Amino acid sequence: DTGVSQDPRHKITKRGQNVTFRCDPISEHNRLYWYRQTLGQGPEFLTYFQNEAQLEKSRLLSDRFSAERPKGSFSTLEIQRTEQGDSAMYLCASSSVALYGYTFGSGTRLTVV
Amino acid sequence: SQQGEEDPQALSIQEGENATMNCSYKTSINNLQWYRQNSGRGLVHLILIRSNEREKHSGRLRVTLDTSKKSSSLLITASRAADTASYFCATGDSNSGYALNFGKGTSLLVTP
């Protein structure tokens, strides 16, 4: 593994469309996190998985957002009926049980037009 | 929610100078971490300091933690142009489970 991979790097979508992002964490990391970052702000926590179990969800994660991590490997984040306010960088990170710090991916930049 | 607050918001120095960034937080923490983010990229973990530690070093980085004042500082010595980036502190606490709470960051510009 060379790190956390996110796909796509950029996504432009029309308001009302659904989008899905993928994150491939470091294989030996069982913890996976999704964060959202807007311009000039720090990352905001969205959700956390330990293996395949989604253990924590922020109240930022509205009903339009859903995340999965089938089989405890890669994860997907889906946004339904996108709104302009969803425009942001979506960051995925993973960590090991020992939590020596997160390893972040390069992010997916979403623009809703 | 964003618990950490970095100060200053922006810092401009010349190569060779030291850069100091501060972070204040609100609740009890288990650990505090510093991350660097180059423009438009993901974050890179720099250093972690646990709540029972007061100072930690890693290369040109020195981090201090004062839990009584709920504050931390990151010192970058002998800065280089490549240190130009945004720096974020992030706290882990028992209330947030496993999530880290990030501040808004300090934007550091190092000019040659």
Side-chain angles (χ1 to χ4, degrees):
Chain A
D1 277 331
T2 56
V4 177
S5 299
Q6 290 190 247
D7 183 67
R9 289 294 309 278
H10 304 274
K11 179 72 177 178
I12 301 174
T13 191
K14 291 184 179 179
R15 191 175 51 186
Q17 298 290 307
N18 299 343
V19 293
T20 300
F21 311 139
R22 177 179 169 124
C23 171
D24 287 272
I26 292 174
S27 58
E28 55 265 31
H29 287 180
N30 68 336
R31 296 178 177 180
L32 186 147
Y33 313 82
W34 284 99
Y35 280 78
R36 182 174 69 188
Q37 185 179 25
T38 53
L39 199 62
Q41 302 293 314
E44 292 178 300
F45 170 73
L46 293 179
T47 190
Y48 157 67
F49 288 87
Q50 183 163 321
N51 299 312
E52 66 274 11
Q54 188 174 20
L55 297 184
E56 238 181 295
K57 285 173 63 172
S58 163
R59 51 182 185 275
L60 292 175
L61 216 64
S62 76
D63 291 344
R64 298 183 297 105
F65 288 71
S66 63
E68 293 183 342
R69 193 185 181 196
K71 303 177 184 177
S73 56
F74 72 92
S75 176
T76 58
L77 177 68
E78 180 184 18
I79 309 175
Q80 296 182 326
R81 305 180 303 281
T82 53
E83 302 171 355
Q84 285 190 320
D86 296 331
S87 294
M89 174 81 88
Y90 289 84
L91 294 162
C92 175
S94 67
S95 70
S96 65
V97 174
L99 190 62
Y100 285 114
Y102 292 0
T103 301
F104 277 87
S106 295
T108 293
R109 182 167 295 285
L110 173 66
T111 303
V112 182
V113 298
Chain B
S1 63
Q2 299 197 302
Q3 170 173 211
E5 186 108 7
E6 289 89 344
D7 172 63
Q9 287 188 326
L11 181 60
S12 181
I13 59 174
Q14 291 193 315
E15 267 191 325
E17 295 181 336
N18 296 342
T20 300
M21 288 158 263
N22 302 296
C23 168
S24 59
Y25 57 91
K26 297 173 186 172
T27 64
S28 297
I29 60 171
N30 296 327
N31 66 80
L32 186 144
Q33 303 179 34
W34 285 90
Y35 287 80
R36 183 187 75 224
Q37 184 178 37
N38 292 89
S39 181
R41 308 288 298 185
L43 286 81
V44 174
H45 179 254
L46 295 176
I47 197 165
L48 179 153
I49 186 166
R50 291 186 164 80
S51 58
N52 60 352
E53 297 176 312
R54 291 296 166 257
E55 188 170 313
K56 208 159 181 182
H57 297 254
S58 176
R60 294 183 296 113
L61 305 180
R62 174 179 166 250
V63 169
T64 62
L65 179 64
D66 187 334
T67 52
S68 66
K69 295 181 180 178
K70 292 187 168 58
S71 68
S72 173
S73 68
L74 171 66
L75 169 68
I76 305 174
T77 60
S79 62
R80 306 165 182 168
D83 295 328
T84 294
S86 292
Y87 291 81
F88 296 90
C89 70
T91 55
D93 60 70
S94 55
N95 292 328
S96 63
Y98 298 103
L100 286 180
N101 298 308
F102 287 82
K104 294 184 179 181
T106 290
S107 178
L108 173 66
L109 174 64
V110 182
T111 53

